[in-house]
Structure formats: C-alpha cells, structure tokens
Amino acid sequence: MSDRHSVILALQWPFRLLAQAALVGLVVITAVDVIGRVVFNSPLGFAYELVGLLLGVSVYAGLIGMNWHREHIRIDLIEGHLRKLPRFDRARAAMVWALEVIFFTIVALYVARQATQMLRWHETFLFLPLEKWLPLAIYAGFAALAALSTLISALPGCQANREDLS
C-alpha cells in the first residue's frame, strides 16, 4: 500500500465514523419519536427536522468513502453488450469516471448555491434553533470532498482495495 493511499484512507476515517454515528442517531431519534407518539401520545417536536439533518449527514459523509471504494449502485442494462467489445473497456471506464466527477461536482455546486440562498434569507428550522444554510454548507463541503475522492481514486497508485473497507 502506498503512502498516498494510507493518507487518503486515514482522511476518510472521520467521515465514515460520522456517517455511522448519523445512522445510529437516525434510528434512536426515530425510535424515541415513535414510542413517544404511540405510547405517551407526545412525539418529539424536532424529530422530523433532526432526522432530515442526520439523513443528509449520513448520505453526504458516506459519499466520500463510497466514491473512494467505487461502491456505487450499478445499473447493468447494457453491460453484457459492452463486454462483447473489450477494446472499449478503457474508454468506457474513463467516460464513467468523468461522468461521476462531473455529477458530484454539480451536486456540490448546487447544494452550495442553495446554502448561499438560504444564508441571504436567514431562514431557520421550525423547532431547531439553527439556520438552514449551515447544514447545506456542510453538505456542499461533503459533496465537494466526494467529487475530489472520485477524482483521486482514479489516479495511479491511489486505487482502493477491498481489504481497505475496515
């Protein structure tokens, strides 16, 4: 394993931990809200907003490691046909890689634009004492890191291995 590869894996560790903590938080908040609503007829007022925030954290923080390890959902409608043309494998892989980088860059830019619009209006959540632009700015940063992770994962010597998933 190269030094560059080790550094990248070490940089991803906090994001994986953050995504895992957000998923656990989703389960706990949802369970407490449902129990409170059904058993005590007193739901958590902020549960809906907090679940939305934690869902965003889990998705966007998880994208960084997912892109690095190339663990995307694959739609293989034409893969069988493309396998019949092995000379185009490199071109196809380069095109898929480029589309991924472009897609995640557009996501990062779009979410950042939404954050700046929310900042202008100073809109806050109904129950949480937090302006909406702040989580969007964090999500934009995570999406930018996901795009960067996709870009770096294509560089020679930086490819992730299956045993790195720990």
Side-chain angles (χ1 to χ4, degrees), residues 130-160:
L130 181 68
E131 289 191 11
K132 290 183 178 181
W133 70 269
L134 184 59
L136 286 174
I138 292 169
Y139 300 159
F142 287 165
L145 288 172
L148 184 62
S149 180
T150 303
L151 184 65
I152 291 172
S153 71
L155 297 175
C158 290
Q159 282 80 21

Side-chain angles (χ1 to χ4, degrees), residues 63-121:
L63 278 177
I64 296 164
M66 188 241 5
N67 284 356
W68 170 253
H69 290 287
R70 315 288 289 167
E71 296 174 331
H72 312 106
I73 295 173
R74 293 177 52 176
I75 301 172
D76 56 357
L77 294 174
I78 61 172
E79 188 173 356
H81 299 294
L82 293 174
R83 284 187 187 167
K84 296 175 185 173
L85 305 167
R87 62 185 155 166
F88 295 114
D89 282 349
R90 293 181 81 183
R92 180 175 45 92
M95 187 174 74
V96 168
W97 167 80
L99 286 173
E100 289 174 15
V101 171
I102 291 167
F103 173 77
F104 288 113
T105 302
I106 289 171
V107 167
L109 292 172
Y110 180 75
V111 175
R113 189 183 88 186
Q114 289 298 112
T116 58
Q117 288 175 352
M118 290 290 186
L119 177 61
R120 245 183 286 153
W121 294 103

Side-chain angles (χ1 to χ4, degrees), residues 32-48:
V32 169
D33 184 48
V34 168
I35 291 169
R37 178 175 296 140
V38 173
V39 176
F40 302 110
N41 199 24
S42 179
L44 296 176
F46 60 88
Y48 178 76

